[in-house]
């Protein structure tokens, strides 16, 4: 799931799709946290809490990313990542 | 004696007044203000001289140094501080009299000579500035004050040489004079620093006290390149003096300085400023004599060579002011020699006394010669000897006064030059025969070239003047100083100088050495005779002799190519061979390494800038690939 996300992140042109791929990457990480916590240290909850934190941060990050995408759309009229190379200067 | 301060303050006030008012006042008014101010100075100087020499100067057998005024100006350390003050002793009082007299004569003379020139007010302002600096120089209580005024003299000389600043040659001459003397003053400054570093004082009184014990003890032991530090310091100080006094090889600026107005040449480049070097050595004479006698020996030889060298050049020059310039160099060299051969105390100090004596008499007759030449130039509107001739019947006063000055400089009895020159020759005779015979030849040459000048200008009637442009005698303002100076030139030699000036401040008696006197008069008469036969009537003989001398004549005419040599040294040797490689090193190695660094950075940046495409996904690729590589490395190594 992590590598599906990576693959999507690199190959998609649409920014929304990239964002979704990013979500996949993050979710893969969080599942890992939860699962490893459950099997390796059953008596402890750090992994679970970390996952909860991760979900909250992901939500915030998604909101910010969407706002950026909307602004980019307003500025250049589409949301193709190739057209957003002006920031390099 | 506090009023002696007024002698120095008056000219600087005049300078400020005339300089600030500038063209707001009429030229004549400026001239009269300047002249009256200078008259006031001269009267004060005479009063000081009278009071010093006849009332308060002598305690017992010795002339004392009187310091009526001295205040601390700048303190460096506990002991070392620069004072400004007034020092009265026989030589400084004598110089006060000489400077104010000649300056006053020049002021009066310029009223006529400079009439109608643009910048008349500026001229008088600068004359006042010069008088101020020169007077400040001679009364300096310490060597640093002397240095300050020394430079001020240089500046005013520079601006007066370049008075006709629209003339390129005058501008070049003023720059040359300033740069050459500045170069020499560098040596002077280093000398002062060395001297004050070891002795911890600038004061002349302390330096020369008790046979210069301070200097001889404080320098103990230090040597540099085989010579003691004291020798170096004093030789460097002499270098400053040699620059100002136009000693070989730093004499090149003086002939060119003749571009200035003629009265300026009379005042600055004949009577006063150029003898500053002699005065400096005389001021420090005990130090030279006890701490570095070998420098004194060097001074004697440099002086003797310069005297001969300048006299030979003077023979072939055709510009009358240049002849006088070279004769000035030659005569100042005489004074230097006299100091160089002098001993200390009583009759051994004859050279010292003779040097000051010659300085005194030379100031008058050389100023007279220059002013006379100015009068001739005024009448003929040319500096060239070829444009003159037969002027005697047109300009009686100038002709007679010029003759008196020529006789004085040639050393004919009973004119002033005879007495002073005779003392110098006598001093040299007892010290070193080689120097004596050199000076003896120079005396003959001097008589010859001065009378060549005289006959060429006033007799030798080869030129017919246009009827509407007849030369005429100069106006009264110009003739009067000539007559006054002529009187001084005749009688100033009769002053019993040894009663007033001597190396150890104790009066002694001089007598005229009959052998030396006969020899010197004989050679002068021979010189005059040859000049008479060659130049009194228009003849082909001089040209024929010149041709037979061939290369020697040409070389002399070009002043032995000394100017060219200096040009070669500065242009080729220093600029091209030293400065150019250094410039190349700076441009290519120092700048080059920095430029190379910048260039490399730039190139490196250009080659990797393609990586920053702005494509975020591409960055992500690199990032992931990088982390994978690191992961693999961590796992398998």
């Amino acid at each position: 799931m992590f590598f599906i996300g990576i693959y999507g992140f690199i190959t998609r042109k649409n920014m929304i799709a990239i964002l979704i791929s990013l979500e996949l990457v993050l979710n893969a990480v969080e599942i890992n946290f939860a699962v490893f916590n459950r099997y390796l240290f059953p008596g402890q909850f750090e992994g679970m809490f970390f996952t909860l934190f991760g979900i909250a941060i992901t939500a915030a990050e998604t909101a910010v990313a969407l706002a950026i995408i909307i602004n980019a759309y307003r500025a250049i009229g589409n949301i193709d990542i190739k057209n957003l190379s002006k920031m390099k200067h | 004696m506090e009023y002696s301060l007024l002698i120095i303050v008056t000219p600087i006030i005049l300078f400020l007044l005339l300089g600030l008012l500038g063209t707001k006042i009429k030229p004549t008014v400026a001239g009269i203000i300047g002249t009256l101010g200078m008259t006031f100075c001269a009267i004060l100087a005479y009063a000081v001289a009278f009071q010093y020499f006849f009332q308060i100067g002598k305690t017992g057998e010795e002339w004392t140094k009187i310091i009526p005024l001295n205040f601390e100006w700048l303190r460096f350390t506990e002991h070392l501080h620069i004072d400004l003050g007034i020092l009265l002793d026989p030589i400084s009082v004598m110089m006060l009299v000489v400077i104010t007299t000649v300056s006053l004569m020049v002021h009066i003379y310029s009223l006529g000579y400079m009439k109608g020139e643009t910048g008349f007010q500026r001229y008088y302002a600068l004359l006042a500035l010069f008088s101020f600096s020169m007077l400040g120089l001679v009364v300096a209580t310490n060597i640093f004050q002397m240095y300050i005024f020394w430079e001020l003299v240089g500046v005013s000389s520079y601006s007066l040489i370049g008075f006709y600043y629209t003339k390129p040659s005058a501008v070049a001459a003023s720059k040359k004079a300033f740069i050459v003397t500045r170069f020499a003053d560098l040596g002077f400054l280093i000398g002062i620093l060395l001297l004050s570093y070891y002795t911890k004082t600038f004061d002349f009184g302390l330096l020369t006290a008790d046979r210069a014990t301070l200097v001889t003890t404080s320098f103990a032991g230090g040597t540099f390149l085989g010579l003691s530090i004291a020798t170096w310091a004093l030789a460097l100080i002499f270098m400053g003096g040699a620059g100002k006094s136009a000693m070989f090889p730093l004499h090149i600026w003086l002939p060119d300085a003749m571009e200035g107005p003629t009265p300026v040449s009379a005042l600055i480049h004949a009577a006063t400023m150029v003898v500053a070097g002699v005065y400096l050595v005389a001021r420090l004479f005990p130090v030279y004599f006890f701490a570095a006698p070998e420098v004194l020996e060097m001074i004697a030889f440099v002086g003797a060579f310069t005297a001969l060298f300048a006299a030979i050049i003077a023979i072939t020059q055709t510009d009358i002011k240049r002849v006088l310039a070279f004769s000035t160099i030659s005569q100042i060299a005489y004074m230097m020699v006299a100091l160089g051969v002098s001993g200390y105390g009583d009759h051994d100090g004859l050279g010292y006394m003779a040097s000051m004596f010659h300085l005194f008499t030379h100031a008058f007759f050389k100023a007279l010669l220059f002013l006379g030449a100015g009068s001739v130039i005024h009448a003929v509107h040319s500096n060239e000897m070829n444009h003159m001739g037969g002027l005697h019947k047109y300009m009686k006063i100038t002709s007679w006064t010029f003759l008196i000055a020529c006789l004085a400089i040639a050393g004919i009895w009973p004119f002033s030059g005879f007495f002073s020159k005779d003392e110098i020759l006598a001093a040299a005779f007892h010290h070193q025969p080689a120097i004596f015979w050199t000076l003896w030849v120079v005396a003959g040459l001097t008589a010859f070239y001065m009378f060549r000048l005289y006959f060429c200008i006033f007799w030798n009637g080869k030129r017919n003047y246009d009827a509407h442009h007849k030369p005429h005698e100069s106006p009264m303002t110009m003739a009067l100083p000539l007559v006054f100076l002529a009187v001084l030139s005749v009688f100033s030699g009769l002053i019993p100088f040894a009663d007033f000036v001597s190396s150890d401040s104790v009066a002694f008696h001089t007598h005229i050495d009959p052998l030396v006197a006969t020899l010197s008069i004989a050679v002068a008469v021979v010189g005059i005779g040859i000049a008479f036969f060659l130049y009194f009537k228009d003849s082909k003989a001089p040209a024929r002799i010149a041709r037979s001398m061939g290369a020697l004549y040409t070389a002399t005419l070009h002043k032995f190519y000394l100017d060219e040599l200096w040009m070669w040294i500065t242009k080729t040797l220093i600029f091209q061979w030293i400065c150019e490689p250094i410039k190349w090193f700076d441009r290519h190695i120092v700048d080059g390494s920095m430029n190379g660094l910048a260039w490399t950075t730039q190139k490196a940046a250009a080659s990797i800038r393609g990586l920053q495409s702005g494509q975020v996904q591409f960055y992500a690729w690199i990032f992931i690939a990088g982390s994978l590589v690191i992961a693999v490395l961590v796992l398998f190594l």
Side-chain angles (χ1 to χ4, degrees), chain A residues 15-16 19 61-76 78-79 84 87:
Chain A
M15 272 194 272
I16 302 287
L19 187 59
E61 174 254 313
T62 311
V64 173
L66 275 174
I68 290 173
I69 291 168
I70 290 166
N71 269 315
Y73 179 73
R74 284 195 186 145
I76 62 172
N78 59 42
I79 46 171
L84 269 180
M87 291 290 280

Side-chain angles (χ1 to χ4, degrees), chain A residues 15-31:
Chain A
M15 272 194 272
I16 302 287
I18 291 173
L19 187 59
I20 292 169
S21 313
L22 202 62
E23 289 303 314
L24 278 178
V25 172
L26 281 164
N27 284 338
V29 172
E30 280 154 19
I31 287 170

Side-chain angles (χ1 to χ4, degrees), chain B residues 246-397:
Chain B
M247 289 295 108
F248 180 86
L250 296 167
H251 66 276
I252 48 163
W253 66 273
L254 188 57
D256 286 17
M258 296 300 137
E259 289 289 345
T262 312
V264 167
S265 311
L267 176 60
I268 301 183
H269 307 118
T272 56
M273 186 188 85
V274 286
V275 296
V278 180
Y279 183 77
L280 171 68
V281 178
R283 188 38 98 212
L284 288 172
F285 184 73
V287 182
Y288 275 98
F289 188 75
F290 292 109
E294 59 275 22
V295 178
L296 221 46
E297 199 70 13
M298 180 190 84
I299 291 175
F301 281 103
V302 168
F305 180 72
T306 311
L308 183 65
F309 179 81
I312 292 173
I313 294 177
I315 292 174
T316 56
Q317 298 301 307
T318 55
D319 181 323
I320 59 173
K321 284 182 76 181
R322 269 172 204 255
V323 175
L324 292 178
F326 279 106
S327 114
T328 308
I329 295 176
S330 171
Q331 296 300 310
I332 295 168
Y334 248 84
M335 301 172 204
M336 281 290 187
V337 174
L339 284 174
V341 299
S342 179
Y344 187 80
D346 203 29
H347 203 272
D348 291 340
L350 180 67
Y352 178 88
M353 179 288 258
S355 168
M356 291 296 107
F357 196 12
H358 199 57
L359 194 162
F360 182 73
T361 55
H362 172 259
F364 295 129
F365 60 68
K366 189 46 70 65
L368 174 56
L369 282 171
F370 266 105
L371 294 184
S375 176
V376 170
I377 293 167
H378 192 67
V380 192
H381 303 291
S382 166
N383 279 8
E384 280 300 312
M385 234 187 252
N386 305 334
H387 299 166
M388 299 165 188
L391 286 174
H392 180 72
K393 59 175 182 278
Y394 301 108
M395 316 173 70
K396 284 277 192 296
I397 302 177

